[in-house]
Amino acid sequence: MDRRDIFGLLAAAVAMTAGSRAQAAGEQAAGAKKHRLALHVDQSDIAQMNLALGNASNVIEHYKSRGEDVAIEIVTYAQGLHMLREDTSPVKERIKSLREKMPSVAFSVCDNTRRRMEKEEGRKLVFLPEAAIVPSGVVRLMELQEQGWSYVRP
């Protein structure tokens, strides 16, 4: 192999590295616009529920003002299920209002807690129409964080 061949190989390697870096930078810049927030509520406390809903509203407004999208999921477990129960939610009107502004906000109910509460109360629980059942609230939060979601506990 002569010097021209070596320089050709080096030039090709530099070009490939630069191209890979440019592609990674482009993907990172595109990824910078993906905002995802997981909030959790685990207490039957109207202040915590309102704080979570306020956090969600503020985040939505912030990114909306910048022309950017944000995905938000509020995960409930333990006594936090009262936030999404049809019969006990002190914030159901606020949840409805938030969903009207931002239909993509998700509300999750821990199935482990739901089953335990149903057994204790001896009846089937009914949840707000905005709520979806997930197998485990804690596992759901773990999975969201593993997917790169930011986590906040109000």
Side-chain angles (χ1 to χ4, degrees):
M1 207 183 265
D2 69 8
R3 279 195 298 180
R4 285 183 288 189
D5 292 333
I6 292 172
F7 285 123
L9 287 173
L10 285 174
V14 169
M16 285 176 48
T17 301
S20 295
R21 285 186 181 158
Q23 180 181 357
E27 289 171 0
Q28 187 177 21
K33 300 295 181 192
K34 292 181 182 178
H35 305 289
R36 299 173 300 184
L37 174 62
L39 296 162
H40 103 246
V41 175
D42 63 356
Q43 299 172 31
S44 182
D45 174 22
I46 192 169
Q48 186 189 40
M49 294 174 191
N50 277 318
L51 185 56
L53 293 169
N55 289 162
S57 293
N58 291 340
V59 168
I60 290 165
E61 291 304 318
H62 172 79
Y63 287 112
K64 185 178 178 181
S65 73
R66 296 172 60 173
E68 298 175 25
D69 292 328
V70 62
I72 297 176
E73 184 167 338
I74 298 176
V75 179
T76 63
Y77 62 89
Q79 292 302 306
L81 260 66
H82 289 285
M83 178 180 188
L84 299 175
R85 284 180 57 168
E86 185 66 50
D87 61 339
T88 60
S89 176
V91 293
K92 62 174 119 182
E93 290 304 315
R94 190 161 181 205
I95 289 170
K96 182 179 177 183
S97 174
L98 179 63
R99 274 299 281 276
E100 287 171 358
K101 277 191 340 187
M102 182 72 171
S104 65
V105 173
F107 294 91
S108 296
V109 172
C110 173
D111 194 41
N112 290 332
T113 303
R114 179 197 60 82
R115 287 192 319 262
R116 180 184 51 79
M117 284 182 164
E118 286 182 347
K119 184 177 180 181
E120 288 172 359
E121 295 181 27
R123 63 188 176 99
K124 182 171 174 42
L125 300 179
V126 178
F127 293 94
L128 301 176
E130 294 83 4
I133 306 286
V134 296
S136 166
V138 172
V139 170
R140 180 67 182 151
L141 288 167
M142 290 173 58
E143 291 171 346
L144 291 172
Q145 290 177 77
E146 290 168 353
Q147 295 168 19
W149 287 58
S150 298
Y151 164 79
V152 173
R153 182 182 190 276

